[in-house]
Amino acid sequence: MLTIDRYLRPETLEEAYEAAQKKNSVILGGMMWLRLGNRRIGTAIDLSALGLDKVEETDDAYRIGAYATLRELETHTGLNELTDFALRGALSPIVGVQFRNLATVGGSVFGRYGFSDIITLFLALNASVELYKGGVMPLSEFCRAGMLKSKERDILTCIHIPKENTVVSYKAQRNQKTDFPVLNVCAALNGGRLSVAVGARPLRASVCLFDIAQDNESETIAERTAGSLIFASNKRASEEYRQHLCRVIVRRAVDEVFAKSADGGIRSGKPNPEVI
Ligand SMILES: Cc1cc2nc3c(=O)[nH]c(=O)nc-3n(C[C@H](O)[C@H](O)[C@H](O)COP(=O)(O)OP(=O)(O)OC[C@H]3O[C@@H](n4cnc5c(N)ncnc54)[C@H](O)[C@@H]3O)c2cc1C
């Protein structure tokens, strides 16, 4: 059971940040994950008075506030057009509409869950996170970090999605509808650069980068991606099955991206992914 001693709804980010540094303080997202825990929270910090629930568009990016819900992204016209509706495809299998009306983007990204659909998608889209004290950093760096700088507990304020990817494909495999994914893959082609993110391995998602002037055969790209990432077993799937799935799903996603892209992008060459 979750027990909360004190509830705080700060009016500034600084107030929220200061409260978050205290032992047993917890930032609240939609509480969909937090509520499952068995713990005593000293101060529960609700960020809902800070205007972090907006999705804003600039000339070159979307700025998604940490308190925007998964459902808001799933139904957002501009973000779905930008991602070839991959955003809707990634989010709509997560539990149910009522759940996605509560789960927040901030909680989903800050939790850095290995199975996360949204992190896999955002990594391929070259997203950055904005932390109140830590500033802006690439999501790939944020996901790699075991712990935030100097043990401070920072606040994720928003996610930046650059308006740069032209063609996107998102695919996930689940043993059954609404379950956690066994593997998820997002391929995004931006000019000559192909990003292939693979998550739920069940480790946190990583992204492989290919230059399609040299690396352009889906089968080889899939083979190299599966060969360069680490997979593991859990109750949902074995390491071997995940690696096999990776080859299949990456090939399908890359084929889809190439087929959708204006010039097809299929030339010959050897993939040599840089894993980040
Ligand atoms: C049963 C179940 C099934 C799920 N299935 C999937 C799935 O298939 N695919 C998928 O991708 N996800 C899945 N999820 C995860 C879900 O989508 C959310 O990511 C998760 O619930 C966290 O979001 P939340 O807003 O509820 O965060 P909370 O539970 O409120 O918080 C999660 C963590 O993030 C911290 N936090 C929240 N907001 C901030 C912030 N702004 N700054 C700093 N720290 C913050 C909290 O302190 C906490 O540690 C599932 C979750 C559950 C419970």
Side-chain angles (χ1 to χ4, degrees), residues 27 29-34 104 108 110 113 117 156 174 180:
I27 304 279
M31 290 196 72
M32 303 312 281
W33 192 266
L34 272 175
T104 62
S108 302
F110 200 89
Y113 310 107
D117 290 288
L156 196 158
R174 284 173 160 78
F180 292 101

Side-chain angles (χ1 to χ4, degrees), residues 29-136:
M31 290 196 72
M32 303 312 281
W33 192 266
L34 272 175
R35 77 193 157 89
L36 302 178
N38 188 14
R39 61 190 286 198
R40 187 171 199 104
I41 293 177
T43 304
I45 306 164
D46 175 355
L47 307 179
S48 62
L50 302 178
L52 298 177
D53 56 346
K54 297 177 183 59
V55 179
E56 291 161 331
E57 183 178 5
T58 64
D59 286 345
D60 52 9
Y62 277 95
R63 191 173 181 278
I64 303 170
Y67 262 32
T69 66
L70 299 188
R71 180 69 178 163
E72 275 159 356
L73 299 201
E74 179 190 343
T75 55
H76 193 281
T77 307
L79 280 167
N80 273 299
E81 281 170 1
L82 180 73
T83 61
D84 292 331
F85 289 84
L87 189 56
R88 190 174 69 187
L91 299 182
S92 59
I94 300 176
V95 188
V97 171
Q98 292 93 333
F99 181 97
R100 300 194 297 279
N101 271 330
L102 291 169
T104 62
V105 177
S108 302
V109 171
F110 200 89
R112 285 177 283 193
Y113 310 107
F115 55 77
S116 174
D117 290 288
I118 199 159
I119 288 182
T120 298
L121 178 84
F122 283 173
L123 274 176
L125 297 178
N126 198 20
S128 304
V129 299
E130 187 171 334
L131 301 165
Y132 176 57
K133 288 286 175 188
V136 179

Side-chain angles (χ1 to χ4, degrees), residues 194 196 208-228 250 254 258 267-275:
L194 176 71
V196 180
C208 299
L209 302 177
F210 297 88
D211 174 357
I212 65 155
Q214 298 170 2
D215 312 331
N216 40 47
E217 302 218 346
S218 61
E219 198 144 343
T220 331
I221 290 171
E223 197 60 46
R224 296 299 295 258
T225 303
S228 59
V250 169
V254 172
F258 282 162
R267 289 175 287 269
S268 63
K270 275 192 187 160
N272 186 20
E274 178 196 341
V275 179

